[in-house]
Amino acid sequence: MATTDAAPRDFATLKASIIERGKTLPKRLSQIAAFALDHPDDIAFGTVASIAEQAEVQPSSLIRFSQALGYQGFSELQEIFRARLRDRVPNYEERMAQLREHARSASKAHILFEGFSEAAQKSIADLSDRLEPKTLDRAVARLAAAHTLYLVGLRRSFPISSYMAYAFGKLGIRHVLIDGLGGLASNDLTFASPKDAVLAVSFTPYASETVTLVTQAARMKVPVIAITDSAFSPLARDAEIWFEVAEANFEGFRSLAASLALAMTLTVAVAEKRGS
């Protein structure tokens, strides 16, 4: 089967195509779509066998996924992921390999600091690459117009929502921090209306309470702005506007560097727009 003219020839177009078609694909192909968006570097550098193992699918499913998007085979799809990286500085994995190469002459604490710093830098750089100014402006406008802002971020995401609550308080912006204490999270959202807005934050594995609250808000016609990590996140499904933030991993831990940078941006931008 020849590659069709409709097959995306750049990563941005390919990503948009995967997001658009991902929810209508068969289960296994949808599983690959989610993996591809969450782990683009693994798609770029892996083999069919290694990628299939990571995505928990059969190798033949990768071929079918590629053909569903208009490519002749997986290698043509993989080339789009590789092209995305060609003009960049040495990637995160290469820099971490160099760091570990010199580990013998450095303290463990310093190695950890360098590792987490590299992960934070990569996270922020990736967010900068994918953040669309128009989407950011729409989110700021929606949040600035809201009567009350309901901030939802539990478990690992709680530092983000609590920081925003602190900052909004200092800036004199009406808000409610939903922290789930006493099992009253659902009650805290009871008085929200379409004139308000919910800003929700959650990453894999998504906090069930956050997902429930976002679904509740959507049913109440309350606008939802979400910060999450995948187009297939349950938050993205119900959000009017959502941001994709993929934090880099070091030693099994993910920082919140990019997420907090975005949260700070939204907070200050909303205050400035209200002031103007």
Side-chain angles (χ1 to χ4, degrees), residues 173-188:
I173 294 176
R174 185 184 178 92
H175 68 280
V176 174
L177 174 62
I178 299 181
D179 53 21
L181 288 177
L184 298 174
S186 181
N187 288 355
D188 291 339

Side-chain angles (χ1 to χ4, degrees), residues 96-111:
M96 289 312 306
Q98 294 171 2
L99 177 64
R100 294 190 179 99
E101 184 69 21
H102 298 88
R104 295 177 182 177
S105 61
S107 70
K108 178 61 176 178
H110 184 67
I111 292 298

Side-chain angles (χ1 to χ4, degrees), residues 232-245:
F232 297 95
S233 161
L235 271 65
R237 177 190 61 211
D238 289 322
E240 176 182 314
I241 304 169
W242 63 276
F243 297 94
E244 181 180 3
V245 181

Side-chain angles (χ1 to χ4, degrees), residues 47 71 95 99 119 122 156 162 168 186 237 254 267 271 275:
T47 64
Y71 299 98
R95 285 181 287 174
L99 177 64
K122 180 180 186 298
R156 186 168 78 92
S162 60
F168 279 136
S186 181
R237 177 190 61 211
R254 295 185 185 276
T267 302

